[in-house]
Amino acid sequence: MATTVSDSGDEANRYRAAQIGLTRLLVRDVRGVRRLILPSRLRESVPDWLTAVNTIVAQYARTSAALAADFYEAQREAAGVPGSFTVPVADPPPPDQTEASLRWATKDLWPRDPEEATPAQMQPMDVRLAQSGKKAEQVVQKLVADTGRGTVREAVRQDRQATAWARSAARGACAFCKMLASRGAVYEKDTSDFRAHDGCHCGVVPVFKGQRFELSPHAREWERIYREFAQGHSGDQLRLFRRALAEHDSNPLPGSN
């Protein structure tokens, strides 16, 4: 008998909650090393901060990948597919990738000529430190979450019993994530691209042979809103969908209330 899988099943919800909990701890630890940045000695202190955050990211990325592997194995067992499979656990992001993201997050800290500085770069140092810290938290969250998402996607690609994957978005997700989640299990085994923004907590739900995928009630609502208000408007779908969600979605968009 075929089993049914959804973008919002019990396991998918528990997995998302675990990754969100991991993010809270990640942000706590990243905030804890912000004191290493000394405004009077940026050139000397920022490299120490980069090293510390890189170590934190690697640690949490391994945990994110382990959570993802456990989730995949549970989904595979629930599907009742035959044979064994070892989930290929993704490595943490390369240090140079993490460093590049962090350097982008802190670019406004550095002094600029007033003629060349952006409004953000003209803010007092304490404001720039706070803004850079927030950006750093967002980029490391994505790096860590991507490691977990990459683990599930690569498992789907390698597992002969897997057929596709679906995007799982929280009820309060942004319009972009809701739009992609409303498409269901359309992402084939070799689809390597998972479009995510900083702060995105969307997950990857594997679908196996013999399984039937069903959109959750809230994702069906997003799919209906998209078809009614945005489908067929090439190049303008996301704007129209966002506007329609603000008016018709029972799960409000972030910042809409």
Side-chain angles (χ1 to χ4, degrees), residues 2-108:
T3 60
T4 301
V5 63
S6 170
D7 57 286
S8 189
D10 290 342
E11 286 293 335
N13 290 337
R14 278 194 290 269
Y15 171 54
R16 187 189 301 112
Q19 290 285 9
I20 291 173
L22 188 68
T23 292
R24 293 194 185 101
L25 297 175
L26 168 68
V27 169
R28 178 203 65 188
D29 287 355
V30 170
R31 286 178 181 172
V33 299
R34 194 184 303 175
R35 67 185 186 280
L36 296 175
I37 299 179
L38 305 177
S40 61
R41 299 176 58 243
L42 287 178
R43 193 172 299 279
E44 294 82 10
S45 63
V46 167
D48 292 338
W49 174 78
L50 290 171
T51 299
V53 177
N54 224 320
T55 300
I56 292 170
V57 168
Q59 171 191 344
Y60 278 91
R62 292 188 187 97
T63 304
S64 177
L67 288 172
D70 290 345
F71 167 66
Y72 188 88
E73 289 171 353
Q75 291 293 96
R76 197 177 195 277
E77 182 178 355
V81 296
S84 60
F85 177 75
T86 301
V87 178
V89 178
D91 292 326
D96 57 347
Q97 180 185 357
T98 302
E99 181 171 331
S101 296
L102 293 171
R103 288 195 179 278
W104 171 84
T106 56
K107 61 183 175 62
D108 292 338

Side-chain angles (χ1 to χ4, degrees), residues 7 21 29 74 83 88 91 112 115 130 135 141 184 206 211 226 232 243:
D7 57 286
D29 287 355
D91 292 326
R112 300 286 198 283
E115 295 80 11
K135 289 179 181 178
Q141 181 276 332
Q211 277 194 316
Y226 180 83
R243 186 172 70 184

Side-chain angles (χ1 to χ4, degrees), residues 130-206:
Q131 292 173 340
S132 295
K134 184 64 176 178
K135 289 179 181 178
E137 293 167 12
Q138 291 174 338
V139 298
V140 298
Q141 181 276 332
K142 184 177 183 300
L143 289 168
V144 168
D146 279 348
T147 309
R149 290 186 284 246
T151 295
V152 178
R153 287 190 291 107
E154 182 60 20
V156 170
R157 191 185 72 82
Q158 293 189 25
D159 190 351
R160 292 183 178 180
Q161 297 298 328
T163 60
W165 56 269
R167 188 185 189 104
S168 172
R171 287 176 173 83
C174 70
F176 173 79
C177 292
K178 288 181 176 181
M179 181 177 70
L180 296 183
S182 72
R183 296 174 181 174
V186 300
Y187 304 99
E188 298 178 352
K189 286 173 65 74
D190 292 331
T191 303
S192 60
D193 183 34
F194 187 100
R195 300 173 65 188
H197 53 80
D198 293 344
C200 177
H201 292 291
C202 287
V204 180
V205 178

